[in-house]
Structures are given as structure tokens and as C-alpha cells.
Amino acid sequence: METLVSFGGWIALALAGLVILWTVLVRTQLLTAEHLFGTRALPDPPVVSGLAKELHKRLVVADIHADTLIWRRDLLRRSTLGHFDFPRMADGGVALQGFLVVTEAPREVIGGGLTDKSDRLTALGVFDQWPARAITRQVDRALYLGSKLERHCARSQGRIRMIRRSGDLSELLNRRAGGEDVRGVYLGLEGADGTNYDPRNFQRLFDAGFRMSELCHYTDTPFAASSSGHSLGGLTPLGRDAVKMMDELGMVVDLAHASPRTIEDVLAIAARPPLVTHTGSASCHDDPKCLPDSLLREVVARGGIVGLGFVPDYVGGTETDAVMRALDHLVRVVGPEGVALGSGFCALPLPIAVNHFPLITEALLVRGYDEAATTRIMGGNAVRYLLSALPA
């Protein structure tokens, strides 16, 4: 009996030691879920031409789609993981970054007719030791992940500024024009799970700094049909209530992942021009998440913008050339005044990281884009849209 007790005690002690070690490794960010399942940082980009470098410095560069906040990483420090951190943002000459908070990630994300409601982020949250409320309740998960951006800004000594209103963005632009090295960030919600499908929760999210939200992600939701979902329907009555609530608050409807019928329904009732933070053209690449050219034109005609996602699902390849070919096509469809950059940083393998953005400027010049078009695509369109769409 003493031997068994002694053996059991050693097992308990060993398990306790492993838990303590795991806690220390996670809290010090020496071992996190991103180390196991995330992407590795891309090599430093090659030097661009003098002409591209000089133009890029004058641009207000913006990207409207990063999924980085799901990971436990200090974005104020340069990392060997992912595609984004604030030092690399400075290297890439990027002035403004939009973060979409992901609160669910099913196993099945490829193709159409998806019904998988599994959630890999719950396991990620357990491993990375999120607060219990963020593991068990989606709206608290959204608030927790979004609060990380606020804490990064607070620790940045004023260099990274949270954009909640159009006046915040105007002030950022004025400070940069005056030579200050400051950058802006803002929050949106990827999918609508983070509302717990209660339109009243948009108030909580708005108060926490969220300024846009999708209505669905990979599968149909109580708000709306997804482009890769099963029904291919449109807005539900509850979804119409959600759009109304967002309009009242001053939140933008992000049409990424929405079915064509959902998009048509939103365009018919939304009080402010919606946008698509990340997509591609269905005539350029056949994927359910890519939108028909007619709808892309309609979004831009209503005053919205269309962000090109860099992932293979949107551009049809894993190389920078694939991104540029898809961007060329998008410009042909909606014009240079309707296109923005909607990368998808840090969630999936990409050919371009935030410090590589001068390469996009150079590629645009090589492809024959003039300075005015390049200025719009690299960030001018996104800034113009946000200045008009954000609350005053």
C-alpha cells in the first residue's frame, strides 16, 4: 500500500509540475498555440527600387483585415511568428491596420455547403489560458480578444492609437503629416458568433471599440446565410434587426463571407455604405467566398470598398504574383477607387507580410499603375471610406 501511495504521489507531483511548467511557458510566451499551429514569419523582403521606396514613404498605407488577435503574442515586440507586429508594421510603412476578431473556427472551411459548427478556438483558448469566460461564452471571447488591442495601445507610449471615430483618424493623419511616427488600429468582428446572436450585444461591442461586424463566417448563422454555407439564402428577420442596430450605433456591416442574397438584402436596407474587408472575384478564382463581379461593382457603386484577401482561397495561388493578378482583375472590375488591401494576416499561410508592403507598391508601378491609382489602392480608399463611415 505504501508503494502504491508513493507511486500515486509521484504521479500527482509530476502532473502538477507539468501544469506549472505549461503555465510558465504560456505566460512568458515561450510556448503558445501559435508556436504549434500558427505560421512562421516570412524572410525579410528584398530591397525595392528607389522610385518605389520614395513613393511608398509618401503614401498612407492601410490594410483592413488582420486576424492576429487570436494568438497570445506581444505585438509591440518583433516576432518570428505570423505576418504582423508593430515593428514590422513600421518597417512596411503601414499607417493603419484593421483587426477582425475571430471567435469561432470550425474544422471544415474549404468549399461550399458547409454545416460544420465545431470550434477549434475553444481548444486554442484552453491551451493559451484565456479567462474562463472567454472560453465558454462567445461575446466575452470577442471582448477579451478585442481588449488585447487596447492594452497594446496603452503600452505603446502613444505610438499606436486606437481609432474609434472619424476624428481619431483625422488626428492620426494630421500627426503623421506633421512628421510624428504614429500608427492607427481599429476593431471589427469576424463572423457574428461574438454577438451570441443577440443584436443587443452590438451595444457592448461598440462600447468596447468595435466599429464593424460581419453577419456570418463559414456557415449560415441566425443572422444571415454564408457564401460557403448550406442554404444560400439571405438575411433572416433577426439579421435585419442586427443591421438596424448596427446602423443606429454607427457600426459598419462587413459583407465578407456573406452569400450573394445576403449582400443584396443588406444593400437594400443598410443606412451607411457597407464594405467587404476581404474577398476576391469569382470570375478570377472559383471559390464560394469570392463574389460575383456584379456584386463587387454594386458595393462600390453604393460608396463601399472591396478588400482583396491574400490567402489562396481568394487569389488562387500561394505566390505574390497570384495576389497581384487578382488585384489587377479587381481593379478592372470596380476601378482603382474601389479597391483596398484586406490581407488576412496571421491566420493562414500568406506570401506577403506587413513588412513586405513596399513590394506591392513596386509591383503596382511595374504593372503600369500611376501614382494616383497606387495611392488609392495602397490605403487612400480605405482612409476615405473610414473617414466617412466611422462615427463623427
Side-chain angles (χ1 to χ4, degrees):
M1 178 63 70
E2 289 183 5
T3 301
L4 290 176
V5 171
S6 178
F7 179 74
W10 281 111
I11 291 294
L13 186 62
L15 289 175
L18 287 174
V19 169
I20 293 171
L21 177 61
W22 165 49
T23 299
V24 170
L25 290 174
V26 169
R27 296 297 173 87
T28 57
Q29 301 183 38
L30 294 175
L31 178 64
T32 64
E34 190 175 16
H35 286 93
L36 301 177
F37 306 111
T39 57
R40 295 295 179 266
L42 297 172
D44 289 340
V47 177
V48 300
S49 68
L51 179 63
K53 183 177 180 180
E54 189 269 335
L55 173 58
H56 193 80
K57 284 183 177 180
R58 299 202 308 270
L59 300 178
V60 178
V61 181
D63 179 83
I64 59 175
H65 174 213
D67 294 327
T68 312
L69 295 176
I70 62 172
W71 304 114
R72 187 176 187 123
R73 177 149 51 88
D74 183 356
L75 298 182
L76 294 174
R77 299 173 58 185
R78 190 178 300 273
S79 178
T80 59
L81 298 170
H83 314 104
F84 181 94
D85 50 52
F86 292 120
R88 280 182 285 175
M89 183 183 183
D91 292 346
V94 177
L96 183 66
Q97 180 66 57
F99 290 85
L100 300 186
V101 170
V102 183
T103 61
E104 55 82 30
R107 290 185 298 272
E108 190 178 1
V109 298
I110 303 299
L114 303 180
T115 59
D116 180 14
K117 294 292 188 179
S118 61
D119 177 26
R120 290 179 292 174
L121 284 196
T122 296
L124 185 153
V126 170
F127 189 92
D128 276 354
Q129 302 175 11
W130 294 354
R133 67 184 187 281
I135 295 173
T136 59
R137 182 170 164 79
Q138 294 278 16
V139 66
D140 291 307
R141 181 178 300 182
L143 293 168
Y144 166 69
L145 293 175
S147 71
K148 293 163 65 174
L149 189 59
E150 186 78 52
R151 293 195 295 273
H152 288 315
C153 291
R155 294 172 47 236
S156 74
Q157 299 179 327
R159 291 177 291 120
I160 311 300
R161 294 175 172 264
M162 195 79 168
I163 304 300
R164 295 182 181 84
R165 300 187 175 274
S166 58
D168 298 333
L169 182 53
S170 294
E171 181 183 355
L172 176 81
L173 297 174
N174 290 335
R175 286 177 177 273
R176 288 182 61 84
E180 291 189 47
D181 184 21
V182 291
R183 305 176 196 283
V185 295
Y186 65 89
L187 276 173
L189 184 65
E190 176 114 39
D193 300 77
T195 66
N196 284 109
Y197 302 110
D198 182 345
R200 293 171 297 182
N201 279 327
F202 281 116
Q203 180 71 64
R204 294 183 65 190
L205 294 167
F206 182 86
D207 292 343
F210 286 77
R211 290 299 179 263
M212 60 185 61
S213 176
E214 297 169 16
L215 299 170
C216 50
H217 202 188
Y218 292 108
T219 57
D220 299 338
T221 72
F223 286 161
S226 166
S227 61
S228 53
H230 180 70
S231 72
L232 297 182
L235 276 179
T236 68
L238 189 63
R240 293 176 183 275
D241 290 342
V243 173
K244 181 180 179 181
M245 175 64 77
M246 293 172 70
D247 279 339
E248 291 174 354
L249 290 170
M251 290 182 73
V252 172
V253 180
D254 179 2
L255 296 173
H257 291 280
S259 73
R261 276 188 57 190
T262 294
I263 293 174
E264 292 168 354
D265 289 347
V266 172
L267 290 175
I269 66 171
R272 63 186 63 230
L275 83 163
V276 188
T277 53
H278 55 290
T279 190
S281 166
S283 62
C284 181
H285 179 60
D286 184 19
D287 185 279
K289 295 183 291 297
C290 294
L291 297 178
D293 289 350
S294 58
L295 278 181
L296 296 172
R297 293 190 190 98
E298 186 66 19
V299 168
V300 174
R302 299 291 186 91
I305 55 173
V306 177
L308 176 68
F310 296 173
V311 300
D313 292 2
Y314 298 120
V315 302
T318 58
E319 313 83 20
T320 301
D321 281 349
V323 175
M324 297 309 301
R325 288 194 299 270
L327 192 150
D328 280 339
H329 181 83
L330 200 57
V331 171
R332 287 194 293 271
V333 171
V334 303
E337 67 280 358
V339 179
L341 305 179
S343 62
F345 288 145
C346 299
L348 295 167
L350 298 178
I352 298 172
V354 69
N355 55 323
H356 292 197
F357 270 28
L359 296 178
I360 304 179
T361 296
E362 181 166 63
L364 289 171
L365 295 177
V366 168
R367 292 170 116 80
Y369 290 85
D370 62 19
E371 181 172 332
T374 301
T375 298
R376 293 189 185 103
I377 294 166
M378 292 301 296
N381 293 330
V383 168
R384 170 182 51 80
Y385 175 83
L386 290 169
L387 284 173
S388 65
L390 288 173

